[in-house]
Amino acid sequence: MQYVWKASVVVAVFVGVGWLTAKTVIAHAAPGGMYALQVRLGSAMAGLFAGGIAATLVLIALLWKRSKS
């Protein structure tokens, strides 16, 4: 059960940070125009990158805490 909880936390961080980053990038991009597809793809890539980094840091923190106890 402990592993399910930790996996759920990592997935929630990945999804939450990724979604917020993608929304922030889209909000700050120029609206519409011929770059709309590039802006959407760029925001998705930024969301994946930021979510992956945040999830990796949370995973390291959870594993570090486990190894200390």
Side-chain angles (χ1 to χ4, degrees), residues 21-44:
T21 303
K23 290 296 180 186
T24 302
V25 169
I26 286 179
H28 287 86
M34 59 188 275
Y35 297 109
L37 179 61
Q38 289 88 344
V39 170
R40 286 196 313 260
L41 290 174
S43 68

Side-chain angles (χ1 to χ4, degrees), residues 4-18 51 55 58-59 62:
V4 172
W5 179 81
K6 289 181 180 181
S8 299
V9 168
V10 171
V11 169
V13 167
F14 178 78
V15 170
V17 171
V58 167
L59 184 62
L62 289 174

